[in-house]
Amino acid sequence: MTWRCNQINHNPRITTEDYAYEIKGAGFFSKDLLFSLRSPIDVKAGEQVSIQYDLNKSNAELALDYGFVESTSSRNAYTLTLEISESDPFYEDKLDIAESNGLTETAYFDIVLGSRLPEKMLPYLRLVALGGSDAFLLEALFRNDVWGFLNAPVSRTNEELICKVVRDACKLALSGYHTTIDEDDKLLAMDLDPRLMIAVEVRAGEKKILQQVDEVFEDREKELDELEYYQERRLKDLGLVGEQGDIIFWEK
């Protein structure tokens, strides 16, 4: 971006980055340069021309790169890092499955305040936690289908484990902050130094996301007895479960 573009302000109401600028000579015999900018929205005479700096940056990134934040909740994001441990006895199988679905041994999921969890986050969590009596799903026989299985609850044990792991991680991260969300909200109502205000807004947004994720998995823990797991789904596919959920035994 040229120094001229750096002087153009950001406008959060602009929801497209479709703008362009051009620098060209003023004429064949002129040494002057002309700068022109195409605005992505209609601008009336006398109005300020503004652009959208970056639709994909979080408030933390906006603060670091440009020195401001937005009040929109979609700008509040928190990156959750998940990893397949090299000490996992099924490490190679899990890594192969992850890579077959566009992920690696370390996966980063950007969680946005007020939005659903990233699409691949739950399947990846179930893959990381897979073990014990569920480990048969890692066999080569299921390699082409296992990711589809992981898009739904595998077993009560597996689902309970991912809930515990995520909730513990959220609580640990929240304990690392020196203030609560309520305390941050009170600070934001005060006349703070602009730089401090930005820092508090970013911090409060991160904590609200951690609280949101914790609540999502807390609700999921309460539903564990009501969820349908792989074995039940498989029996239904084979026609071995009746309308009341009872297992059908076929007699010759």
Side-chain angles (χ1 to χ4, degrees), residues 180-200:
T180 65
I181 293 175
D182 288 340
E183 289 170 339
D184 281 345
D185 287 340
K186 289 177 182 178
L187 284 172
L188 292 173
M190 300 169 62
D191 186 20
L192 299 177
D193 173 83
R195 290 169 64 88
L196 179 57
M197 178 71 77
I198 289 172
V200 174

Side-chain angles (χ1 to χ4, degrees), residues 64-80:
L64 287 171
D65 294 344
Y66 305 116
F68 67 84
V69 294
E70 289 186 10
S71 59
T72 52
S73 62
S74 60
R75 287 289 191 179
N76 289 311
Y78 188 94
T79 301
L80 184 66

Side-chain angles (χ1 to χ4, degrees), residues 83-89 91-92 105:
E83 185 177 55
I84 302 170
S85 173
E86 290 188 12
S87 64
D88 190 313
Y91 172 78
E92 295 294 339
E105 64 179 319

Side-chain angles (χ1 to χ4, degrees), residues 68 71 86 101 140 151 174 190 226 234 238:
F68 67 84
S71 59
E86 290 188 12
N101 290 278
N151 273 275
L174 285 168
M190 300 169 62
E226 303 169 13
R234 182 60 177 157
L238 295 172

Side-chain angles (χ1 to χ4, degrees), residues 37 42 66 68 79 88 154 165 179 194 197 214 220 229 232:
L37 172 75
D42 293 333
Y66 305 116
F68 67 84
T79 301
D88 190 313
V154 173
V165 168
T179 58
M197 178 71 77
D214 180 61
R220 197 159 192 84
Y229 299 106
E232 184 179 353

